[in-house]
């Protein structure tokens, strides 16, 4: 019988699990560690989890990340593994915006706390506006963020869902660079009941700067970012 990859990790590497959670919990101590130090601790844990779980990562485009902090990463959303994949491959610290339903999941819950992530309630528009305000203020101070424009994971694997214009309001508000991120097969590590090595891809695409999107509505920005990501996914999947 094939088992879930996470179950495999916890059973075959059970002696490592307490250490992994200890590191994440330590990273949540904002009084003791800087955001860079906390991010590096989380990054180290994510790298080990991916290694132990037999995930092989192909990453391109790191050179496309803006040289100055204060940008937003906008990937397509395939599942819970997306965050681990991005942290493992991105050297520039970032915070996360996640819907409240995910904030209760073990490990992800600790990661959100360690990175000063924000939890958004999609049923509370007022709370959503407050999150956008807080993000905008922190981006101006040089904080980077990841937000998933689909709002929820795609149910069609490598076919992205609709990108929502509201996800780009904080970027427009502070004129921040927007970095499209194409995730390919990121759903497989957690969704497929198999423990064999699985290949996933992450591609950081060229950023969209304010001068390029200043005359666009947020829905137009959303459509443009989605088209860039979709084109990259199609380009890469055709190679296989």
């Amino acid at each position: 019988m094939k088992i879930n990859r996470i179950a495999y990790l916890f059973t075959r590497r059970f002696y490592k699990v307490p250490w992994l959670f200890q590191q994440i919990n330590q990273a949540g101590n904002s009084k003791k560690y800087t955001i860079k130090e906390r991010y590096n601790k989380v990054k180290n844990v994510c790298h080990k989890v991916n290694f132990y779980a037999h995930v092989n990562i192909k990453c391109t485009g790191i050179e496309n990340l803006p040289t100055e902090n204060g940008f937003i990463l906008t990937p397509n959303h395939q599942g819970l593994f997306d965050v681990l994949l991005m942290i493992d491959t991105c050297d520039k610290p970032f915070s996360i915006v996640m819907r409240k339903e995910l904030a209760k999941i073990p490990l992800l819950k600790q990661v959100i706390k360690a990175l000063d992530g924000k939890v958004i309630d999609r049923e509370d528009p007022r709370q959503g506006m407050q999150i956008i305000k807080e993000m905008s203020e922190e981006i101006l101070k040089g904080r980077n963020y990841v937000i998933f424009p689909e709002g929820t994971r795609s149910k069609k694997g490598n076919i992205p869902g609709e990108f929502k214009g509201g996800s780009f309001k904080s970027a427009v508000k502070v004129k921040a660079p927007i970095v499209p991120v194409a995730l390919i097969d990121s759903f497989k590590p957690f969704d497929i009941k198999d423990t064999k090595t699985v290949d996933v891809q992450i591609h950081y695409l060229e950023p969209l700067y304010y001068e390029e999107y200043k005359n666009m509505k947020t829905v137009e920005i959303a459509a443009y970012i989605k088209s860039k990501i979709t084109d990259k996914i199609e380009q890469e999947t055709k190679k296989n």
Side-chain angles (χ1 to χ4, degrees), residues 2-17:
K2 292 183 177 180
I3 66 172
N4 180 278
R5 192 174 301 269
I6 297 303
Y8 168 83
L9 173 63
F10 274 73
T11 55
R12 293 298 298 273
R13 300 282 184 171
F14 68 92
Y15 56 94
K16 293 288 188 180
V17 172

Side-chain angles (χ1 to χ4, degrees), residues 10-235:
F10 274 73
T11 55
R12 293 298 298 273
R13 300 282 184 171
F14 68 92
Y15 56 94
K16 293 288 188 180
V17 172
W19 180 87
L20 294 173
F21 273 93
Q22 180 190 36
Q23 292 298 300
I24 292 292
N25 286 327
Q26 283 184 0
N29 189 341
S30 60
K31 294 181 179 179
K32 185 175 181 180
Y33 301 106
T34 65
I35 184 63
K36 176 66 174 177
E37 291 170 333
R38 283 182 276 149
Y39 183 83
N40 286 339
K41 280 182 172 291
V42 174
K43 182 179 177 66
N44 185 43
V45 170
C46 289
H47 181 74
K48 290 185 181 299
V49 168
N50 294 339
F51 175 75
Y52 296 150
H54 300 165
V55 180
N56 182 47
I57 300 172
K58 175 184 177 181
C59 175
T60 69
I62 287 295
E63 70 279 1
N64 288 325
L65 294 176
T67 54
E68 296 184 3
N69 289 321
F71 57 82
I72 296 181
L73 298 159
T74 56
N76 55 307
H77 195 9
Q78 297 195 348
L80 296 177
F81 183 72
D82 298 347
V83 173
L84 275 70
L85 176 56
M86 296 190 69
I87 294 174
D88 192 357
T89 56
C90 184
D91 290 332
K92 288 180 174 284
F94 60 75
S95 292
I96 310 165
V97 179
M98 300 289 284
R99 66 182 192 276
K100 69 174 185 178
E101 293 84 354
L102 300 179
K104 301 177 183 179
I105 298 175
L107 189 59
L108 190 56
K109 174 183 178 180
Q110 284 82 3
V111 168
I112 292 173
K113 179 182 178 182
L115 301 183
D116 295 335
K118 299 190 181 298
V119 177
I120 192 166
D121 184 350
R122 292 184 297 178
E123 297 181 0
D124 186 347
R126 180 175 296 181
Q127 189 260 4
M129 292 301 295
Q130 179 61 30
I131 292 295
I132 290 174
K133 180 177 181 294
E134 292 174 6
M135 280 180 60
S136 301
E137 292 172 351
E138 293 180 12
I139 291 169
L140 281 174
K141 296 176 182 178
R143 180 68 62 87
N144 308 316
Y145 272 93
V146 168
I147 189 167
F148 295 97
E150 290 161 278
T152 187
R153 59 175 294 179
S154 170
K155 299 296 192 299
K156 298 181 179 180
N158 290 321
I159 302 176
E162 177 190 1
F163 276 34
K164 298 174 175 59
S167 301
F168 299 90
K169 286 184 178 180
S170 56
V172 173
K173 189 179 180 72
V174 297
K175 305 178 182 180
I178 302 168
V179 183
V181 184
L183 304 181
I184 300 175
D185 294 336
S186 182
F187 63 94
K188 290 184 176 180
F190 284 0
D191 288 5
I192 297 178
K193 290 187 177 181
D194 196 335
T195 58
K196 295 180 181 179
T197 298
V198 61
D199 296 323
V200 300
Q201 299 182 43
I202 179 167
H203 304 276
Y204 295 91
L205 310 182
E206 292 185 2
L208 182 68
Y209 288 96
Y210 178 70
E211 287 301 314
E212 301 171 271
Y213 70 74
K214 65 180 181 181
N215 295 321
M216 299 168 67
K217 297 178 180 178
T218 53
V219 291
E220 294 174 326
I221 297 173
Y224 177 83
I225 295 296
K226 178 184 175 181
S227 70
K228 288 294 182 182
I229 291 173
T230 301
D231 288 348
K232 184 62 176 178
I233 291 174
E234 292 177 352
Q235 174 189 335

